[in-house]
Amino acid sequence: MTTGNEVVLVALVDLSADADAGRRYEDAVLALLGRHGGELQRRLRTGDGQTEVHVIRFAARAGLDAFLADPERAALREGLGDAAPTTRVLEVHDV
């Protein structure tokens, strides 16, 4: 169950541009969550290896904002260029 300040996200990550590079990128970026009060709660992958689903929790919205603005995260993404995964992020809550 989420508390008042928490932010819970589901990220649908399309790795089809370059699955190996995309997985390495996701490994590196997800490792940055902790410095911003974020936590990867689940990381799932489809059988074909082309899509991942991440459930991520931040203690507060400020942590999410800081994660999105993290220069290391931006540099990792820029380094991949066209091979970078595309991601759809949904903010969710318990029902």
Side-chain angles (χ1 to χ4, degrees), residues 1-9 32-41 55-67 91:
M1 179 168 271
T2 59
T3 63
N5 294 327
E6 284 185 336
V7 177
V8 179
L9 307 171
L32 303 177
L33 288 169
R35 72 169 70 159
H36 303 293
E39 174 189 11
L40 178 65
Q41 295 187 318
V55 179
I56 300 168
R57 186 191 70 73
F58 284 91
R61 184 161 303 279
L64 169 59
D65 294 342
F67 173 73
E91 188 170 333

Side-chain angles (χ1 to χ4, degrees), residues 30-76:
L30 292 170
L32 303 177
L33 288 169
R35 72 169 70 159
H36 303 293
E39 174 189 11
L40 178 65
Q41 295 187 318
R42 297 285 305 266
R43 184 176 182 181
L44 309 161
R45 188 174 298 142
T46 57
D48 65 4
Q50 299 298 302
T51 305
E52 287 191 357
V53 177
H54 304 159
V55 179
I56 300 168
R57 186 191 70 73
F58 284 91
R61 184 161 303 279
L64 169 59
D65 294 342
F67 173 73
L68 293 174
D70 188 311
E72 187 174 348
R73 179 183 165 276
L76 287 164

